[in-house]
Amino acid sequence: MTLVRARVMDTPDDPFAGGSLRHDDDGGLLVTDGVVTARGAYDRLRSAYPHEEVLDLRAGVLLPGFVDTHVHYPQVRVIGSLGLPLLEWLDRRALPEECRLAEPSYAAQVAREFVDGLVSAGTTSALVFGAHFAPAVDALLEEVARRGPRVTAGLVVSDRGLPEPLLTTPERAYDESRALAQRWHGHGRVRYAVTPRFSYSTTEATLDACAAVLKDEPGTWFTSHVNENPAEVAAVNDLFRDALHYVGTYDAHGLLSERSVLAHNVHTTDDELTLLAGRGAAVAHCPTSNSALGSGLFPLRRHVERGVRVALGSDVGAGTGFSLLKEGLQASFMQALLGPDGLPLTPAHLLFLATRAGALALGLDVGDLSEGRPFDAVWIRPEPGDPLDVGMRNAASPDDALAKVFALGTPADVGGVWVAGERL
Ligand SMILES: [Zn+2]
């Protein structure tokens, strides 16, 4: 057992439903076999457990580990290709790089860089878009298993509209996805996600193959993209003449449930939101990606009002880095830019979106530091005297201190990351 002493902040109760920031200025968390087994004021816990080893994290603040609900493993090296809209960015930047993961040694190197990126940013759980090549997905999941974050990921499948090396067939998509799911789903903290890239690059037959994998490998997850960019939406509407709308292209194949996460959904209709809410599917909002590709301003208010679950994704490499702090900050900017259509976000909203909302979207029992939860945590500890340190020490309130963490915090401020009590 270890008694963790820290300034602790988390959001066990949804701020979109009246919850607020929970804050312990000098808190104690008793961690037993990787699980928080007692929580309270440090002094009280110390009296109750006088002989436990103490881990003193009082400098800075301890937060639940971040949950990234949309991030692409093969795109680490194309982060920062700015100034192109989605389809041009894919053609000129992302897809040529994704083709390189056909080479297993290249994929293994990228896998190391990717997991380093996640962990160094304080991300402890992620829903990851894999690669189009099965050996590259193995390389990712081997690295994940070695390092320890909670990752849900799968083989990305497409059978049209992409460079030839990235294409598969419905039969091969089924066979390779199924074999990977059998190898990895439930292996340690790894879970499998059935992953058609997007309807734009996937025929009805391959969407059916995806549905078959979901059915034949019970408990696996589903993820894809939707409604990111107007040109993409128009192209999908052309390809699927019979579909009611873009969300309907997935729903018609039985792919949407409470184990589904669709990325973006910027250009969405009320019918689509009603359908997503009815299926219990979640949306990964990726603010820096939406900004970098000029995709648009995410209608968060409409999602919340219609009861669609939303969490944050970094969308590396269209997104500009692995930090969920940066995504939270950009989310708040974008809601402000929407004016009266925006949903003003408090620091508690940002923390919830970066932690507990993601855990709920991914069906994981993490995302806050309540008793009974695994100890998945990130310690934000700025250098003494730097602007984040000064800001936090002079903050008017815990919410104000947390606002400064989102405004100023970067991976350089991450002093420690734990998953199930293990320091990564
Ligand atoms: Zn994406």
Side-chain angles (χ1 to χ4, degrees):
M1 287 199 286
T2 302
L3 183 52
V4 178
R5 182 176 194 180
R7 182 179 196 187
V8 184
M9 295 185 188
D10 62 0
T11 48
D13 301 314
D14 182 352
F16 293 98
S20 56
L21 180 67
R22 178 166 66 172
H23 170 256
D24 287 311
D25 197 42
D26 188 9
L29 297 168
L30 188 71
V31 179
T32 312
D33 296 330
V35 174
V36 178
T37 48
R39 174 179 173 142
Y42 173 77
D43 285 348
R44 185 174 68 72
L45 258 71
R46 189 57 176 157
S47 320
Y49 302 94
H51 305 299
E52 301 313 326
E53 179 200 351
V54 173
L55 177 62
D56 190 336
L57 306 177
R58 272 178 292 173
V61 61
L62 189 71
L63 304 175
F66 299 128
V67 181
D68 187 340
T69 60
H70 185 68
V71 55
H72 293 253
Y73 138 59
Q75 296 178 5
V76 185
R77 297 185 181 193
V78 296
I79 296 171
S81 301
L82 304 174
L84 295 171
L86 174 67
L87 297 176
E88 286 77 1
W89 177 83
L90 283 170
D91 280 347
R92 289 164 58 183
R93 303 285 193 261
L95 299 179
E97 172 67 10
E98 296 211 17
C99 289
R100 293 186 190 109
L101 275 85
E103 169 56 46
S105 63
Y106 189 90
Q109 223 173 8
V110 171
R112 283 193 292 278
E113 294 162 358
F114 176 78
V115 178
D116 279 344
L118 282 184
V119 171
S120 64
T123 296
T124 51
S125 299
L127 176 57
V128 177
F129 243 72
H132 287 266
F133 309 100
V137 176
D138 278 318
L140 168 69
L141 297 177
E142 280 159 19
E143 184 66 14
V144 162
R146 196 172 71 74
R147 301 284 297 280
R150 299 177 200 277
V151 164
T152 307
L155 179 72
V156 183
V157 298
S158 289
D159 61 344
R160 66 174 163 198
L162 299 186
E164 196 279 330
L166 300 180
L167 299 180
T168 186
T169 63
E171 297 72 29
R172 206 177 111 210
Y174 176 84
D175 291 343
E176 291 182 347
S177 301
R178 191 139 188 229
L180 282 163
Q182 287 178 346
R183 192 142 65 243
W184 289 106
H185 187 67
H187 176 92
R189 298 179 192 124
V190 174
R191 302 182 307 175
Y192 194 80
V194 175
T195 313
R197 186 167 196 117
F198 51 169
S199 293
Y200 177 88
S201 68
T202 317
T203 63
E204 309 258 5
T206 290
L207 292 173
D208 276 338
C210 290
V213 178
L214 278 172
K215 180 171 136 308
D216 295 342
E217 296 298 328
T220 52
W221 284 69
F222 175 78
T223 191
S224 194
H225 294 100
V226 77
N227 290 324
E228 180 173 1
N229 164 291
E232 169 221 15
V233 176
V236 167
N237 288 338
D238 270 355
L239 290 168
F240 291 80
R241 297 272 179 185
D242 296 335
L244 294 173
H245 37 57
Y246 197 158
V247 170
T249 63
Y250 301 117
D251 191 59
H253 295 269
L255 296 168
L256 300 184
S257 73
E258 62 289 338
R259 290 199 318 280
S260 308
V261 179
L262 293 176
H264 302 304
N265 207 34
V266 175
H267 304 281
T268 192
T269 64
D270 288 345
D271 285 350
E272 288 176 303
L273 292 170
T274 301
L275 179 57
L276 288 168
R279 295 286 184 248
V283 167
H285 170 35
C286 306
T288 72
S289 167
N290 292 167
S291 304
L293 300 179
S295 299
L297 295 166
F298 180 69
L300 177 61
R301 179 185 291 282
R302 288 172 57 219
H303 282 71
V304 170
E305 286 177 354
R306 300 237 164 203
V308 180
R309 301 183 295 146
V310 175
L312 286 178
S314 67
D315 198 22
V316 157
T320 61
F322 284 91
S323 178
L324 270 281
L325 294 175
K326 192 199 269 193
E327 297 304 328
L329 178 66
Q330 190 70 18
S332 93
F333 290 166
M334 293 173 89
Q335 292 309 307
L337 288 167
L338 275 164
D341 292 335
L343 187 56
L345 296 175
T346 65
H349 286 116
L350 303 187
L351 184 61
F352 179 77
L353 286 169
T355 57
R356 183 69 184 143
L360 290 167
L362 300 186
L364 293 170
D365 183 31
V366 297
D368 64 51
L369 294 166
S370 298
E371 281 177 26
R373 297 243 194 266
F375 183 70
D376 283 22
V378 53
W379 182 32
I380 305 294
R381 192 205 56 172
E383 283 296 312
D386 89 4
L388 176 54
D389 175 59
V390 171
M392 287 179 72
R393 282 192 289 104
N394 293 285
S397 64
D399 288 87
D400 187 34
L402 182 60
K404 290 166 185 353
V405 171
F406 277 95
L408 291 160
T410 73
D413 300 303
V414 171
V417 181
W418 292 261
V419 172
E422 264 174 59
R423 195 163 186 163
L424 301 190

